[in-house]
Amino acid sequence: MPEQTLTAADTPTVRLGYHGSTEVAARIIRLAGRDEATVRLSEYDVADPFRGIRAGELDVMIVKFGINEPDLVTSRVLTQDARAVVVGSQHPLATRESVSIEELADYDAFAPPGTFPTYVWDEVVPPRTPAGRPIRRNRRVDTIPEMRRLIAAGEAIHISLISLADVARPPGTRVVPIHDLPPAPVTLAWLRDSEVHDHVRDFITTAETEASR
């Protein structure tokens, strides 16, 4: 870990985009040697994930899995986020300690929301299991509250990430680990052709250095 944590009095604010749980964001902020008061967290809409970074409202954003956007650059992998499924609290899988992705082919899952890149969604919610069973990605929603409502009602499951345990709480839902999918690599992304200010560059490079230790 860094020897010294920079406080709000020492450095300008980094505008950091995230989605869902703040746990992964906090992990990256620690890697960057920052006090959380030096970082302004902004939750981006998963239905239009790159709008804020492209509009200049964010300096960097957290992305999970690999992205292939010509106008964006990504850091080295900083951490990982294990896989999990979000189910309703009354779902048959809700009391399990872990599940296999093969079992999840028995239930309705979600199609990509909004303009979320299909190639990334294929990593989040694979179209098929390793054994070749199709995942039923037939539920379409425009908002996260709508997704949560369907999950809580037992009408669909969401194949996702373990960090969502911070935001998907009982009584409506449960987060169950998936033991046979690899974790998602987590990186930072920023605009390729924009000026990266020194304090933002320091945030990125320090996080990369600490992650490689």
Side-chain angles (χ1 to χ4, degrees):
M1 294 296 291
E3 293 182 0
Q4 183 178 4
T5 297
L6 296 177
T7 66
D10 301 320
T11 186
T13 299
V14 174
R15 301 172 300 166
L16 176 62
Y18 77 100
H19 172 70
S21 169
T22 60
E23 188 273 330
V24 173
R27 204 184 309 169
I28 291 173
I29 291 168
R30 290 193 297 271
L31 286 173
R34 298 298 181 104
D35 185 298
E36 291 191 15
T38 71
V39 178
R40 182 186 308 148
L41 287 177
S42 297
E43 186 170 12
Y44 57 80
D45 184 354
V46 71
D48 191 8
F50 305 125
R51 188 204 63 78
I53 198 77
R54 288 171 172 154
E57 298 169 2
L58 302 171
D59 296 312
V60 288
M61 64 181 290
I62 295 170
V63 295
K64 299 173 184 180
F65 301 102
I67 62 169
N68 183 23
E69 302 294 314
D71 60 336
L72 300 181
V73 184
T74 57
S75 69
R76 297 200 294 269
V77 174
L78 302 180
T79 186
Q80 295 183 326
D81 200 354
R83 305 306 308 279
V85 61
V86 188
V87 300
S89 58
Q90 302 304 311
H91 193 277
L93 301 178
T95 59
R96 295 275 295 277
E97 292 186 5
S98 71
V99 297
S100 166
I101 185 63
E102 301 295 338
E103 299 174 85
L104 302 182
D106 293 334
Y107 304 98
D108 287 356
F110 292 96
T115 61
F116 193 95
T118 301
Y119 71 91
V120 181
W121 196 255
D122 286 347
E123 299 285 345
V124 181
V125 185
R128 292 184 176 274
T129 72
R133 298 187 67 196
I135 300 289
R136 304 195 319 233
R137 307 187 304 178
N138 54 13
R139 295 291 182 145
R140 295 188 178 277
V141 296
D142 294 322
T143 67
I144 296 300
E146 187 178 0
M147 179 183 284
R148 288 176 179 163
R149 181 186 64 76
L150 290 174
I151 294 169
E155 297 180 24
I157 63 170
H158 181 38
I159 300 167
S160 188
L161 301 157
I162 198 68
S163 62
L164 280 185
D166 280 4
V167 293
R169 294 190 173 93
T173 58
R174 297 286 190 276
V175 178
V176 183
I178 300 172
H179 58 249
D180 52 358
L181 282 184
V186 181
T187 62
L188 294 173
W190 61 97
L191 280 177
R192 181 181 298 278
D193 295 327
S194 67
E195 179 184 359
V196 179
H197 296 291
D198 288 345
H199 70 286
V200 178
R201 178 67 64 184
D202 288 345
F203 181 92
I204 296 167
T205 56
T206 301
E208 288 182 318
T209 299
E210 291 302 317
S212 67
R213 291 184 185 276

